[in-house]
Amino acid sequence: MINAHGIRKQFHGQNVLSGIDVEVEQGDVLAIIGPSGSGKSTLLRCLNRLEEVDGGWIQIEGDMFVQENDIGEVIYAPKEKSKEIQGRMGMVFQQFNLFPHMTVMGNLLEAPIHVKKQPKEEILPLAEDLLARVGLSDKKDAYPSQLSGGQQQRVAIARALAMQPDIMLFDEPTSALDPELTGEVLHTMRELAEEHMTMVVVTHEMNFAREVANKVLFMADGNVVEAGTPEEIFDHPQRQRTQDFLRNML
């Protein structure tokens, strides 16, 4: 589903990603963990071109999204192909980014109607089904300001799913939430994992990474320090940097 190799990214001359490799197969839940400033969110944003890479290559479902040529130039797929590849990935952010002037249902319908040009009557049943899945059928006519943070984030997940992506990317989806509200968002994400949705999750929730993910990537200082199964990373970390991080987090 995702095959990335040698991903490099700089900001203001500083290396943020120093040659990252990522492989995600269908149905995988990859948790990316690590200290703040390690490049986790930047990596996620590079996968769907919210940030453009400075080097390396990325394939999405076998299609070349970006590649570096022999003289170090970074070449993305042509515009239409790029947009089509981006459309296969749904993204959920730390801040919910809902349209405040639209109802919950309006938020879900906006992109399928205007980006994918789907007729409203075609997308409406899916949108209603998605709201039921995230437990918010009764809030379809509410505005974001009338919802709790946890409810807003569940709407954001449903909105991303309304585009019917093949891959879901989550950038610390619970970091802006109170602990009480974190559980309801993680519950929704667990259900997605049980339905074999392919997911890449940047998270500080170690229990989620241990219990729901089948692959874990530990990053520090723009590098992958260690990668493996949750059991390998949490129970038998090989690197001192990983051990120190987990000692502080668990």
Side-chain angles (χ1 to χ4, degrees):
M1 300 293 274
I2 299 174
N3 192 5
H5 182 74
I7 298 301
R8 303 192 309 281
K9 179 69 182 174
Q10 287 192 338
F11 289 125
H12 312 298
Q14 297 288 318
N15 281 336
V16 182
L17 300 174
S18 303
I20 304 293
D21 297 344
V22 180
E23 200 170 285
V24 179
E25 295 178 36
Q26 189 162 11
D28 276 350
V29 178
L30 171 65
I32 304 176
I33 64 172
S36 296
S38 58
K40 307 183 301 295
S41 293
T42 301
L43 173 60
L44 202 68
R45 293 169 68 85
C46 284
L47 292 178
N48 69 353
R49 206 181 173 179
L50 289 177
E51 300 283 357
E52 296 204 342
V53 303
D54 295 325
W57 54 264
I58 301 171
Q59 280 185 327
I60 304 295
E61 295 182 291
D63 287 330
M64 191 59 76
F65 190 27
V66 60
Q67 58 188 321
E68 184 178 4
N69 68 15
D70 294 340
I71 57 171
E73 293 174 323
V74 169
I75 301 164
Y76 276 86
K79 186 178 177 183
E80 284 306 310
K81 185 64 176 178
S82 251
K83 282 177 66 175
E84 187 266 316
I85 290 173
Q86 285 169 289
R88 303 179 204 172
M89 294 178 274
M91 180 92 174
V92 178
F93 300 87
Q94 295 179 33
Q95 304 298 337
F96 323 121
N97 293 355
L98 298 177
F99 298 116
H101 61 290
M102 291 184 182
T103 64
V104 165
M105 183 57 79
N107 267 278
L108 264 67
L109 296 177
E110 176 71 8
I113 289 173
H114 290 103
V115 177
K116 293 182 85 173
K117 310 299 184 193
Q118 290 178 279
K120 182 177 177 180
E121 58 273 14
E122 181 184 299
I123 195 66
L124 196 58
L126 171 66
E128 289 176 339
D129 177 55
L130 288 170
L131 283 181
R133 278 172 64 186
V134 299
L136 291 172
S137 293
D138 59 332
K139 300 292 185 185
K140 68 178 182 180
D141 297 321
Y143 287 87
S145 61
Q146 299 170 303
L147 305 178
S148 72
Q151 289 171 329
Q152 289 187 59
Q153 193 60 296
R154 284 186 283 153
V155 172
I157 293 171
R159 180 177 66 175
L161 291 170
M163 290 291 282
Q164 297 174 277
D166 298 333
I167 301 162
M168 284 286 285
L169 308 176
F170 294 86
D171 186 9
E172 299 192 28
T174 61
S175 65
L177 300 176
D178 295 334
E180 192 177 353
L181 301 176
T182 293
E184 60 191 51
V185 173
L186 292 178
H187 176 74
T188 297
M189 292 169 66
R190 283 173 193 268
E191 289 186 335
L192 282 179
E194 287 167 7
E195 294 165 13
H196 307 295
M197 170 60 79
T198 304
M199 298 159 63
V200 182
V201 186
V202 171
T203 185
H204 289 298
E205 298 291 336
M206 295 300 119
N207 282 339
F208 177 87
R210 183 197 282 267
E211 295 167 15
V212 181
N214 67 315
K215 293 180 177 176
V216 179
L217 209 65
F218 171 63
M219 289 182 64
D221 305 316
N223 292 288
V224 174
V225 177
E226 202 162 341
T229 65
E231 183 184 29
E232 287 167 342
I233 299 300
F234 289 104
D235 297 337
H236 308 288
Q238 300 298 304
R239 299 293 189 88
Q240 187 65 47
R241 186 72 183 84
T242 317
Q243 294 166 16
D244 292 344
F245 173 78
L246 292 173
R247 193 176 302 117
N248 290 328
M249 292 297 290
L250 297 174

